[in-house]
Amino acid sequence: MKKNTISYLLILIGGAVAIYANAEEQQNTLILVLGILVLMFGIYRLSSTITSKSEKEDTTTYIEEE
């Protein structure tokens, strides 16, 4: 739970920094890149906690109509 919260915060902070750096007339490329890196790191951390689908066979039985 705590790991997901940190990941969400990283995504929000990274997105806000990237938007802020892109909104100025004189775009600061370094801040924009750092914001995108923090955003992507947060997304990576969040996606690493998601489990993939189980490859077990479907155990439900279907009734065949005659």
Side-chain angles (χ1 to χ4, degrees):
M1 178 77 172
K2 189 174 182 180
K3 187 175 182 180
N4 285 347
T5 306
I6 293 170
S7 298
Y8 285 123
L9 283 175
L10 286 172
I11 292 170
L12 287 175
I13 291 169
V17 169
I19 290 172
Y20 170 75
N22 201 17
E24 295 180 3
E25 287 182 22
Q26 295 284 334
Q27 293 179 355
N28 193 342
T29 308
L30 180 62
I31 293 177
L32 179 62
V33 169
L34 288 175
I36 292 172
L37 283 174
V38 171
L39 174 69
M40 297 306 279
F41 183 67
I43 292 172
Y44 171 75
R45 281 176 51 107
L46 189 62
S47 68
S48 68
T49 61
I50 299 172
T51 59
S52 61
K53 263 189 167 179
S54 177
E55 297 201 11
K56 292 181 183 176
E57 291 183 22
D58 193 11
T59 57
T60 57
T61 56
Y62 296 101
I63 300 173
E64 294 181 16
E65 294 182 23
E66 296 180 22

